[in-house]
Amino acid sequence: MADIRRLPTPVAEVWDWQLHGACRGENTSLFFHPDGERGPARARRQSAAKAVCSRCPVVDACLKHALAVREPYGVWGGMSEEERARLIAAEPAAVAAGV
């Protein structure tokens, strides 16, 4: 379950970057895995999601948000949940500082 205590305040300026995401209008199933998805199917879906992220004008803000709130699910800012978890584990101080 997500820990919502890390979420930013409900102020429009804090969330405004989301209005410009390349993912807007895409099916959320591209970014969030269905129950039981593993192996090549998961890798293909994540690759397709990351392709959307690669052309996104707010990819940096998206990744910063996902790291700051420890987003537990989906592809955010061009990184899968596993990639973000490894980054957080390797560099917790840098992630906490928003780097």
Side-chain angles (χ1 to χ4, degrees), residues 9 16 20 30-31 45 55-56 60 67 84 87 89 95-96 99:
T9 60
D16 195 45
H20 309 287
L30 182 62
F31 299 93
R45 183 194 46 75
R55 60 181 170 80
C56 184
D60 293 335
L67 293 171
R84 291 191 311 276
L87 181 62
V95 170
V99 176

Side-chain angles (χ1 to χ4, degrees), residues 17-18 21-35 37 41-56 58-59 62 66 71-84:
W17 60 268
Q18 292 183 9
C23 59
R24 288 193 54 95
E26 295 283 344
N27 191 319
T28 58
S29 66
L30 182 62
F31 299 93
F32 299 94
H33 67 82
D35 288 339
E37 182 187 60
R42 188 170 187 146
R44 281 191 303 274
R45 183 194 46 75
Q46 287 179 340
S47 256
K50 290 176 183 182
V52 173
C53 296
S54 73
R55 60 181 170 80
C56 184
V58 295
V59 68
C62 182
E71 182 60 55
Y73 306 109
V75 173
W76 288 77
M79 294 184 83
S80 69
E81 52 208 56
E82 298 86 7
E83 292 165 333
R84 291 191 311 276

Side-chain angles (χ1 to χ4, degrees), residues 4-18 65 68-69:
I4 62 170
R5 291 175 294 176
R6 289 191 177 105
L7 290 176
T9 60
V11 177
E13 292 80 23
V14 177
W15 297 91
D16 195 45
W17 60 268
Q18 292 183 9
H65 164 79
V69 303

